[in-house]
Amino acid sequence: MVQTKLLIIGSGPAGYTAGIYAGRAGIAPLLIEGIQPGGQLTTTTEVENFPGFPEGIDANELMDNMRQQAERFGTKILSNIVTKADLSVQPYKVWLDDGEEIQAQTIIIATGASAKYLGLSDEQKYMGQGVSACATCDGFFYRKKVVAVVGGGDTACEEASYLAGLASKVYLIVRKPFLRASQIMQERVMNNEKIEILFETNTLGLYGEDGVEGAHLIYKKGEAEERKYDLPIDGFFLAIGHHPNSELFSQWIKVDEQGYIITKDDTPCTNLPGVYAAGDVADSNYRQAVIAAASGAKAAMEAEKYLKENE
Ligand code: NDP
């Protein structure tokens, strides 16, 4: 069994920034990296909107820098996955995939959110080579190109509108005969002449030599008018929702109807004393690295205050 003053769960911008702040405060936190070391950002290529890098920075390099910065100040990083938690009493307990038990006085949950994918093998094949789940992150690479966005909700409409400002043409691939998005977002998409909505259409696969060159689509699957065709595109954006990685904790931590951890007012404080949530696991709205990093800093500062007050 390992004891720690502060356990940080997650290794995205929120987790590492929490590590940097808590480390500098002399807390020597323990950080568990999780399934995807470096977090969601590592699924993209270059990051151009993180301040401080005027020429942009490779996403993996950015995350590696953050990791090193956290380690420099005494954050101990374990390449493990948390498989179980018990937050019923303090000290809080979590268990790792190797069976190790960790007891922590405070916890920062920075487990992020995961974009939903269709489950096609081609999504993996072309990941970072034309497939993306973040228009804000990757849209810039598709200036004057043709892209498709999958989904009919607010995120899909927002991403399609954003991409229409960059790309020459945006197809919105919607499986139903209508959009689920709010009225205002629907109107925005429908009134944008660069966006063409392909209703009742599903994606069967993607094709291309060194990256996405097109999508295999099916219209009105299983109906008399069923038609399969290929749509030439340069980029394929998923916008079919995200799910916050909060399941391990939701028995004790209050979450909203979508599973996002509810924090108090403008703080990272959850309903449990000494337990904080930072980054996308508590943010259904912004989902940006810089915002996750800031919330990680806030969470570490709250943890430090809590530890001082409860020493
Ligand atoms: P939603 O769950 O609202 O929409 C997901 C969309 O993806 C739906 O159109 C759904 O289709 C489609 N979809 C899901 N699975 C598949 C699949 N396997 N194949 C094809 N299509 C699929 O998710 P969002 O991320 O859009 O929004 C989440 C929440 O965040 C919502 O409450 C939304 O209002 C909110 N939000 C608000 C914004 C704003 O106010 N500016 C911006 C972004 C999000 P179907 O309709 O058929 O189920």
Side-chain angles (χ1 to χ4, degrees), residues 118 151-155 158 175-176 180 239-241 258:
L118 297 171
D154 277 323
T155 303
E158 209 165 68
R175 66 179 173 183
K176 290 218 174 105
R180 182 204 283 220
I240 58 171
Q258 294 176 67

Side-chain angles (χ1 to χ4, degrees), residues 116-119 150-158 173-176 178-182 185 188 201-203 239-242 257-258 260 284-285 287:
K116 292 182 191 162
Y117 287 85
L118 297 171
V150 185
D154 277 323
T155 303
C157 290
E158 209 165 68
I173 302 173
V174 183
R175 66 179 173 183
K176 290 218 174 105
F178 55 86
L179 295 170
R180 182 204 283 220
S182 54
M185 291 308 295
R188 202 167 291 171
T201 303
N202 280 286
T203 310
I240 58 171
H242 283 75
E257 65 281 358
Q258 294 176 67
Y260 288 94
S284 62
N285 194 10
R287 299 199 286 254

Side-chain angles (χ1 to χ4, degrees), residues 108-145:
I108 295 174
I109 301 169
T111 43
S114 305
K116 292 182 191 162
Y117 287 85
L118 297 171
L120 303 169
S121 59
D122 287 342
E123 289 169 318
Q124 294 307 317
K125 183 175 169 190
Y126 295 106
M127 187 63 66
Q129 288 183 291
V131 172
S132 168
C134 179
T136 325
C137 317
D138 297 326
F140 193 67
F141 304 112
Y142 297 91
R143 271 171 302 168
K144 299 195 166 49
K145 294 192 173 174

